[in-house]
Amino acid sequence: MAQVVLNRVRHPSFPKSVCAVVYQGAQSGRGCQFSFACNGAMRGRREGGAWERAERIAARALGGYVMGQVGNATHFHVTSVNPRWGNLM
């Protein structure tokens, strides 16, 4: 997810900062690009180990680490979510 966020920052169709990308749509009522930005998950630490892992991943991504499988992708979809448009893609 970190790489997707950074790919969006670099892409001309998206906001130009990490925070603007993460919170895109959160204030408009049109829905969030990332569910954790609107579901309250970012209000505070819940699992110290997970938070520290997220910090390490963010630091690596901001430092230039790239996952080859992700490439320049600007979108991702988890299999646990089943949107109504899913069968059209």
Side-chain angles (χ1 to χ4, degrees):
M1 188 177 329
Q3 188 170 330
V4 169
V5 169
L6 293 177
N7 288 346
R8 287 185 180 196
V9 170
R10 289 188 288 271
H11 195 279
S13 297
F14 293 94
K16 298 298 160 226
S17 75
V18 170
C19 287
V21 165
V22 169
Y23 289 103
Q24 184 179 14
Q27 303 300 324
S28 69
R30 294 180 300 161
C32 292
Q33 296 293 306
F34 299 97
S35 60
F36 62 83
C38 288
N39 68 6
M42 302 228 343
R43 289 193 189 115
R45 290 177 159 195
R46 295 188 183 181
E47 300 174 38
W51 188 269
E52 291 165 8
R53 181 173 181 256
E55 287 179 325
R56 287 192 305 273
I57 291 169
R60 287 181 71 193
L62 289 168
Y65 175 78
V66 174
M67 291 181 67
Q69 313 91 296
V70 177
N72 293 321
T74 55
H75 294 77
F76 70 95
H77 178 61
V78 295
T79 57
S80 62
V81 176
N82 188 18
R84 62 183 164 213
W85 49 261
N87 292 334
L88 301 174
M89 302 300 275

